[in-house]
Amino acid sequence: MSVLKRSKRLFLLCLGALSVSCSQRVDQYFERTALPDQVVPLYDEVAAFKARGGSKPDTKGVTKKLHLDLGFLVQDSKVRRAVIAPFDDANWYEPIEVTLEGTRATVELDLSRDFLVALDLGEPARNGYQAMAQLGAAGGLIPGALKPRLCQLILCSPESFPLTEIDKRLPEVNDLPFEIGNVLPPLPVGPVGRKGTVCDACFDRGPSIVPCFLYKWCGDFPIVRWVHVRRNIYSLSPAEITTLRAGVATMKARPQTDPTSWWYQAKMHALDSGTALALQDQCQHRQFLFFSWHRMFVYYFERILRAATGDASFAQPYWNYTDNPSQGPIPEPYRLPASATTNALYDPTRAAIYNGGAALPPSDVSYASGFNLTNFTSASAGVPSFGGLTVTGAQHFPSGGGSGQIERSPHNNVHNDISGDMAGGESPKDPVFWLHHSNIDRLWKRWLALGNGRANPTTDTVWMTHAFTFFDETGAQKTLTGAQVLNTVTQLGYRYDDDPYIDWPLVRLPLLMKEVKPWEPPEPIVSIKRPVALGRERVDVPVRVPGKDRSLLATSLAADPAHERIVLRLLDIRYDAPVGVTYLLFLNLPPDARNPDQTDPSFIGTLGFFGGSHHGAAMEAGLAEEYDITRVAHRLRLSGDLVVSAFPSLPVVPEGRKDLQALRDRLRPNGNPRFGEIVLQRSRVR
Ligand code: C2O
């Protein structure tokens, strides 16, 4: 029987039918189209078929025994099992498990349904695919040349091996800016059991690698077309930019007392002066409501802007300043024409060097320290986390520490470097704010897709239930809680154009999980109080570890890094005005190092500044920052005295731009940035 065909065209036809008939209710749509659970773990190799009757209603209930030859899928593999999932325009139906005889399977199917075949390649191969998908979420942090080698090793090694041994087989993984053991769990991976396709095409497409050939066959399937897609700003067409610009201009033209106006929205974030109108001045920073509050804020803003553009398909683009050096500059439509009257996306208050086209320093836009961590939140100050300190209620801009690592880098750094409006509480006045926060929101999804225990703090009642209120596009007040913004597709109706494969609405891969171990409250090893002023030149701060504390440091370093972390904290950080320069920090950097950057083995992180002096007031109390220096400490075999060095990070100026070079040479921090204390501490991980 060769009535069954597989082709990309058929696949897309099916998709076409699905999209046309789907209702506008997000949750309903998701229920209809999510793959049945039984198929999900067997997604390894999938193809869609059209049964003989296609989706014709007149074949409904007419079943037929079909003999499938899956040779093109099975190829040289040792696959013995498959799952067949029937579907039509409206539903998925109960999947049918089949055992293969050679490359053949026999199954009885309703001819009005199409169906999808998923092969079961076995546990180790499945682990391999999932491991690759998790690594894919960190794609931007993996050097291009290493990607195919990782893929070859994980999916195409001749025999199985535990992922814990990956550094022995590929020592280069130790140089990645994150710890590979924090992404890959200690499970065995094994060959997919076939030659060709997979291994040649690894890492071909975007940040999501797996299964590469699935992408090839499926084109855009299973992307849900009507879900609003937030795209990379660099990929918008001139017509789309025109629409965006016009929408912003419309919002800017509305009276400032109109909640759907540009200016009202900016002040919902925070006020730099004046009195707050309804729902203004409420942004959440320096604690674990940062991500969820900003997701809600951008979501309602996007709805208002969509209405203002008059384009029902409009979605807020994002700026991925990290992963591609050519996208480091502020996107051109936001800089040119450089006129606030003709270009609603332009903001003249930004640092001239960035409005002129220089790229943000790669150190300042790195998300590596946040991605390395597996804990969303932390209950004690001084313990690094992805998403910030646990709090018991809303907090606007609390003093002290508490920011998660992504809030610091890239988030604060981008605000700080771009300067002008971006440096203040009313930063949403600068259209770049929305590009920036769309990207921060995207990084949240991506972090979750790294797996290995990374998860939202859904057991925390405050995080889940605290309600925040915003205005929608009609000016009506709307309330959302953390529990209502967990899934951007099913709950909010949007996704990003490069959402990791793991996170796609139709094929949801289970993540390889390892339990996340909480960090215990930190214990100081040594602390020195000393005022340190940061300027234009390198600053070295020696930290002497007294004899009696050296053994503490030595014990800590002798411990397994999986159970003992070393953290450096800067305390009493102050500045009197927006600083505009971010600092690179190093540990025991050679005195003659010239222009070291984030790739230097001594690099421990950045120090940026945001939101300290909004409301025009001086900072109430000092801030704090923490750096997980475990890897660097091990690498440098830290023993006694250390030196912390700070360098200003500098914009990347395009070749031949003398004007920008001159601006870079003149770049100086404002506001007298300084700190007063350095603490070295250990924290056990239970
Ligand atoms: Cu609430 Cu980027 O700021």
Side-chain angles (χ1 to χ4, degrees), residues 35-49 68 70 73 79-86 92-100 105 107 109 115-121 126:
L35 274 174
D37 283 349
Q38 296 94 316
V39 178
V40 172
L42 300 171
Y43 68 90
D44 300 350
E45 304 213 349
V46 206
F49 292 83
L68 311 174
L70 303 175
L73 267 180
V79 170
R80 287 293 162 267
R81 262 161 31 97
V83 163
I84 300 196
W92 287 99
Y93 298 94
E94 193 58 29
I96 307 158
E97 290 200 25
V98 293
T99 306
L100 302 185
V107 62
L109 282 170
F115 58 94
L116 193 131
V117 177
L119 298 186
D120 180 8
L121 297 180
R126 193 150 61 236

Side-chain angles (χ1 to χ4, degrees), residues 166-224:
I166 195 160
D167 57 335
K168 293 200 194 78
R169 288 164 187 256
L170 193 58
E172 288 93 326
V173 299
N174 290 322
D175 301 330
L176 289 171
F178 59 91
E179 288 162 67
I180 197 135
N182 284 352
V183 175
L184 301 178
L187 292 175
V189 292
V192 295
R194 56 185 290 188
K195 301 174 192 129
T197 51
V198 195
C199 304
D200 306 335
C202 281
F203 272 106
D204 241 13
R205 226 187 108 153
S208 302
I209 329 138
V210 186
C212 325
F213 47 93
L214 179 61
Y215 278 115
K216 285 199 172 153
W217 285 355
C218 307
D220 272 351
F221 185 84
I223 290 174
V224 185

Side-chain angles (χ1 to χ4, degrees), residues 269 283-285 290 293-294 297 397 407 411-412 415 422 424-425 427-428 433 436-437 440 610:
H269 184 258
C283 66
Q284 298 296 303
H285 279 262
F290 168 78
W293 187 86
H294 286 83
F297 185 43
F397 264 116
E407 183 179 348
H411 173 265
N412 287 354
H415 278 281
M422 271 294 268
S427 40
F433 174 96
H436 179 33
H437 272 278
I440 296 294
F610 175 60

Side-chain angles (χ1 to χ4, degrees), residues 15 22 29 33 220 222-227 229 489 495 505-506:
L15 175 65
C22 75
Y29 184 81
T33 55
D220 272 351
I223 290 174
V224 185
R225 286 174 194 275
W226 66 265
V227 166
V229 182
V489 174
R495 66 174 184 84
L506 269 160

Side-chain angles (χ1 to χ4, degrees), residues 3 16 32 36 104 190 197 236 368 435 445 459 461 496 530 563 572 604 650:
V3 293
R32 273 191 199 169
R104 291 171 171 274
T197 51
L236 264 55
L435 285 181
K445 296 191 79 171
T459 52
T461 325
Y496 291 91
R530 178 172 150 192
H563 297 289
D572 202 21
I604 56 169
L650 296 175

